Amino acid sequence: MVRTTDASDLGSPGELAGLLDRQAYLADEGLATAAFLALRMGRPLLLEGAAGVGKTELARALAAVLDAPLIRLQCYEGLDGPQALYDWDFARQLLHLKAAEAGGAADPARLETEVYDRRFLVARPLLRAIETWPSVLLIDEIDRADVEFEAILLEVLSDFAISVPELGTIRAERPPVVVLTSNRTREVHDALKRRCLYHWLEHPSFDREVAILLRRLPACSETLARQVARAAGRLRGAELVKPPGIAETLDWTEALLTLGARDLDPALAAATLGALLKHREDHEAALGNGLFDDLRR
């Protein structure tokens, strides 16, 4: 397997697409170009699109291509600075103070300096990424975090630096590769978008989805892959609560293969539907509207 440990080694978007392909990630020209530019320009890449279209998986594939650790910050409502940046290890600080007192230390100024030493600082994902090179920082589902959290990211993504009042500013010697994802449950603020390159991920075309299924699941026959991709395309055109992404079609295909399927019929599709659709209303819509008819064409 050929890997590169430096983005400057990449000569073109096509070369990056080839390296991603070796990680079983099939990027089209637009996505490969956006990722290539983000790597070469040292800019964060903001990926938006429906859930399951491959946004998070791109960060994993880039980490494998660059032979770098993937550092993931999973966003959620209520996420704040200490959970994303750093925190002090109060238990160890207290033990240090007790040990110092037991040893007869009497200089309060020296004790205060010691207790806020770097060894007592717990690095959360953003600080770990700044202190680790090479690394790929995945800020996953930024749209799930509160708007106020985006302000915390501005300093990090602008200067790749974090201010720790007790220690000063910790700055990255070389910036990490940064990928942000959003399912667009809310709009990301323009100030954050300006610091990023942007790419919208669509659901894959029929041919690309077939290629992805065959690439990721070698045991899958081309017949089954085409039938699954055809069914998924029909479902995405229906009015569902949650149309399936490529992640769901991979799960569905794996479930079918587990049952020994070589091709797909309506009865088998209905029996395994829980691997593809996760809402009761979507099950009823799929089964009630004949969306799995004629799968063997």
Side-chain angles (χ1 to χ4, degrees), residues 49-82:
V53 294
K55 302 184 296 294
T56 299
E57 195 62 29
L58 175 66
R60 293 195 182 101
L62 285 173
V65 165
L66 299 171
D67 199 14
L70 177 67
I71 299 173
R72 180 173 182 172
L73 174 61
Q74 179 63 53
C75 297
Y76 53 87
E77 186 178 354
L79 179 66
D80 59 14

Side-chain angles (χ1 to χ4, degrees), residues 233-280:
R234 290 178 182 178
L235 290 168
R236 290 172 192 141
E239 295 183 2
L240 300 184
V241 176
K242 171 60 177 67
I246 184 61
E248 285 75 28
T249 57
L250 283 165
D251 286 345
W252 193 32
T253 306
E254 186 174 1
L256 293 167
L257 292 172
T258 300
L259 294 176
R262 298 297 298 173
D263 62 3
L264 186 60
D265 60 61
L268 188 57
T272 55
L273 201 53
L276 183 68
L277 302 176
K278 308 302 171 65
H279 292 270
R280 178 183 177 184

